[in-house]
Amino acid sequence: GVDAPCQKRYLRYLEKMIYEGTDTFVRNPMLMTKVAIHAVPPDTAISVVVQNQGAVLYDSCKQYGALTVSAEASAHGQELSIRMDPLLLNGDVTVRIFALADEWSGAHGCNGQISHGGTRIRYASVVRGRLLAFVQLHTAFCDGDVHFSKSEIDGVYSDRDNKQCSSSFGVTLSLARGRYDQLESGQHWAEGRGRLPPALELLRLEQTLAGLMRRLCPEAEGVV
């Protein structure tokens, strides 16, 4: 069944497409300037990777190295704020949080290599990390900052005993409207990206065909 937060989120997107007419083929660029992680597991070295349409646009280890929050700071609710130069995003966006192994000091300044499926990451062939949590969204359904509570985050939503992280664990993405000319200029963008998952592309195609049939043959409404 549908249980994972990202699955439920994309089902809601599907409902908006059907019942509210949200057009995911109209580009809706967003600029990401910060990822804030609330109640980070204490003394855990992490890295944050931002992907757009599967392509890695940002890796926190390249800029900051591995990031940690002390047990004392975590107990007082200190969040981990990762600021970045504005990332231009359009379409599917995934933010992955990796927990790194003990030898994490070697990760500074490196770009990580993510495994197939996105569950593992490796830096400089020696530092390894496992996926702690991730969130996924589509920019067509965003108007600004987005906050995810623990129950809305894949990887930790089923941690009801709080063994992986506390109940206060959360992720906030700082997002603002981008400009269409930035997309056209190719900043952080390559032709061919911005496509929907196949299931949503098929639905959009069916809706388009139905609209054409209604225009061409009004008596055929309901056939497609």
Side-chain angles (χ1 to χ4, degrees):
V2 176
D3 187 45
C6 69
Q7 292 176 321
K8 294 179 179 178
R9 190 171 304 117
Y10 273 75
L11 277 179
R12 291 195 295 271
Y13 291 166
L14 188 59
E15 290 178 349
K16 286 180 176 291
M17 288 177 62
I18 296 173
Y19 298 112
E20 299 179 19
T22 302
D23 192 344
T24 53
F25 275 57
V26 174
R27 291 183 174 183
N28 184 38
M30 302 294 290
L31 293 171
M32 180 183 291
T33 56
K34 186 177 76 169
V35 176
I37 306 174
H38 314 280
V40 178
D43 299 321
T44 299
I46 67 168
S47 66
V48 174
V49 174
V50 179
Q51 295 173 282
N52 189 192
Q53 300 300 128
V56 175
L57 298 188
Y58 178 81
D59 189 326
S60 63
C61 273
K62 179 70 174 178
Q63 184 174 7
Y64 298 109
L67 301 165
T68 61
V69 172
S70 68
E72 181 180 0
S74 181
H76 285 82
Q78 179 177 328
E79 71 175 30
L80 185 61
S81 294
I82 303 168
R83 298 182 182 276
M84 60 198 69
D85 292 334
L87 291 179
L88 184 64
L89 308 170
N90 191 68
D92 292 303
V93 177
T94 305
V95 178
R96 300 183 186 275
I97 303 171
F98 292 94
L100 304 182
D102 293 338
E103 65 274 20
W104 57 264
S105 59
H108 186 228
C110 299
N111 282 320
Q113 295 180 319
I114 301 176
S115 68
H116 180 70
T119 59
R120 301 281 176 179
I121 196 167
R122 183 176 64 187
Y123 292 95
S125 301
V126 292
V127 181
R128 299 179 185 274
R130 61 174 178 80
L131 185 65
L132 174 65
F134 73 93
V135 295
Q136 192 170 31
L137 54 87
H138 194 287
T139 60
F141 303 89
C142 297
D143 292 318
D145 294 356
V146 183
H147 176 74
F148 301 90
S149 62
K150 183 178 178 179
S151 62
E152 299 172 309
I153 301 174
D154 287 82
V156 295
Y157 71 96
S158 59
D159 177 36
R160 296 179 178 85
D161 295 330
N162 300 322
K163 293 181 179 179
Q164 290 178 265
C165 54
S166 77
S167 60
S168 301
F169 184 80
V171 174
T172 300
L173 307 180
S174 295
L175 298 170
R177 292 285 186 186
R179 300 196 315 271
Y180 290 97
D181 61 313
Q182 290 173 309
L183 283 180
E184 297 304 323
S185 70
Q187 179 186 354
H188 297 309
W189 194 255
E191 195 62 37
R193 297 179 189 166
R195 299 177 59 189
L196 292 171
L200 294 187
E201 285 186 339
L202 179 60
L203 175 67
R204 177 58 178 167
L205 177 60
E206 290 174 349
Q207 290 178 328
T208 301
L209 290 175
L212 288 173
M213 287 294 291
R214 283 194 295 271
R215 291 186 181 90
L216 296 173
C217 307
E219 68 278 5
E221 184 166 352
V223 174
V224 177

